Amino acid sequence: MSRFDKTVALVTGAGHGIGRAIAQQLAKDGAIVSVLEIDMEKGQETVDMLKADGYQAYLVKADIANFEEVETAFAKVAKKFGPIKLLVNNAALSIAGNLEDISLDVWHKEIDVNLNGPYHCIRAIVPSMKAAGGGVIVNISSVNGVRYFGSPSYSAAKAGIISLTQSVASEFGGDGIRCNAVLPGSVRTDAISWTTRLEKDPHIFEKLGRWYPVGRVGEPDDIAKVVSFLGSDEAGFISGVALPVDGGLLAGMNVMIDDFILES
Ligand SMILES: NC(=O)c1ccc[n+]([C@@H]2O[C@H](COP(=O)([O-])OP(=O)(O)OC[C@H]3O[C@@H](n4cnc5c(N)ncnc54)[C@H](O)[C@@H]3O)[C@@H](O)[C@H]2O)c1
């Protein structure tokens, strides 16, 4: 028997990287997956890949920063497959910068997409999850939500998602809704923030791997497998957590320790 028995799932930002891997994993595990994207070309690519593998899939367009667009997209999915029972808030954008020279526009844009976006999706989904007797929400936060690794506006939004996760888990647990956050470390994707850095240094992922106790950065599948588990009944007693999926990055500072050892 599959993990999800035709559970109706929706993954935001599933046209690229981690979101695409999550959509593929959920479909493989038996869910009916809808892809919500602002980039319809990339979203369609994911849907085509899912269909080529023999899965049902559906594409809806929305900018998660716009509540009305999210509501309309969710209603389309519900009309086609029934109420969404598993929501993965994955879509985000990251614009590098530091506090001193970040523009007001960048700050507002990152909070709008990366924090207000997931909130819009949660606001739009909770009534139907309550009516259906429950559901599961998995929010993709980041290690940036609990430590400073640059990108302050992105980090503030990702920290906000952890708090939002706790609010949802606490307030709607009695309605059968579980909500958890996943905190990826660096994951090799073609996100614009990585492609820009890769242009400057083609070995950036190998260099970054030194900071990770497991000796490497993450791959989209590393995150997708955890999201699938958290979305399933196997995780039925897990709610409100912020789970690092980071190869041990937050556990220690290997590069610093290596320097100590060299010096002593
Ligand atoms: N890649 C990493 O190293 C890393 C690390 C920690 C956390 N994360 C998080 O994982 C998630 C996925 O990251 P990724 O690297 O795959 O990113 P990505 O940029 O490759 O993909 C993000 C997707 O979201 C979509 N999107 C962006 N803005 C949108 C909007 N307003 N409305 C709807 N869709 C929108 C994009 O079109 C894109 O397909 C994000 O939440 C990101 O913050 C990534």
Side-chain angles (χ1 to χ4, degrees):
M1 213 185 89
S2 64
R3 180 176 261 171
F4 300 108
D5 186 16
K6 296 195 185 308
T7 296
V8 178
L10 182 138
V11 185
T12 68
H16 277 101
I18 295 173
R20 176 174 286 172
I22 294 170
Q24 288 173 317
Q25 185 69 49
L26 296 182
K28 190 173 150 199
D29 291 341
I32 299 174
V33 180
S34 291
V35 169
L36 181 148
E37 257 297 345
I38 196 167
D39 180 341
M40 290 301 268
E41 210 174 299
K42 283 289 177 186
Q44 190 59 51
E45 265 179 36
T46 301
V47 166
D48 291 344
M49 288 165 98
L50 292 171
K51 286 188 174 168
D53 288 336
Y55 305 121
Q56 268 179 290
Y58 185 51
L59 175 63
V60 282
K61 183 175 168 73
D63 174 354
I64 56 167
N66 182 314
F67 180 64
E68 284 73 29
E69 287 187 22
V70 169
E71 270 197 317
T72 305
F74 284 13
K76 281 185 189 166
V77 172
K79 195 170 172 207
K80 191 165 175 67
F81 297 123
I84 297 164
K85 297 295 293 290
L86 171 57
L87 165 68
V88 183
N89 271 318
N90 166 80
L93 56 84
S94 168
I95 309 163
N98 54 37
L99 271 181
E100 265 214 296
D101 50 33
I102 200 170
S103 72
L104 264 180
D105 280 352
V106 166
W107 180 277
H108 286 293
K109 175 84 181 162
E110 290 223 47
I111 300 297
D112 263 357
V113 174
N114 298 342
L115 179 57
N116 294 341
Y119 169 66
H120 290 155
C121 294
I122 287 165
R123 189 181 172 95
I125 207 68
V126 162
S128 68
M129 282 188 175
K130 281 171 84 169
V136 185
I137 299 169
V138 182
N139 296 322
I140 308 298
S141 174
S142 168
V143 290
N144 288 60
V146 289
R147 294 278 188 289
Y148 183 66
F149 295 105
S151 305
S153 39
Y154 174 83
S155 303
K158 291 298 187 180
I161 286 183
I162 295 170
S163 171
L164 179 61
T165 299
Q166 292 168 337
S167 302
V168 174
S170 302
E171 207 169 317
F172 303 119
D175 298 297
I177 298 174
R178 287 190 302 108
C179 183
N180 292 295
V182 171
L183 281 52
S186 308
V187 179
R188 194 192 304 263
T189 68
D190 59 358
I192 188 79
S193 52
W194 284 126
T195 48
T196 314
R197 290 179 194 129
L198 270 169
E199 276 166 21
K200 289 186 193 150
D201 181 354
H203 303 295
I204 185 158
F205 286 124
E206 288 70 30
K207 283 186 182 164
L208 273 175
R210 291 167 52 242
W211 289 89
Y212 286 78
V214 299
R216 65 171 178 88
V217 301
E219 300 295 334
D221 277 351
D222 291 319
I223 311 304
K225 288 189 180 112
V226 176
V227 170
S228 177
F229 165 69
L230 286 175
S232 76
D233 289 344
E234 292 157 81
F237 202 51
I238 303 178
S239 197
V241 305
L243 179 65
V245 183
D246 69 344
L249 179 71
L250 294 176
M253 291 201 161
N254 272 4
V255 176
M256 189 179 170
I257 292 163
D258 287 349
D259 285 349
F260 275 138
I261 292 166
L262 280 177
E263 280 169 15
S264 60

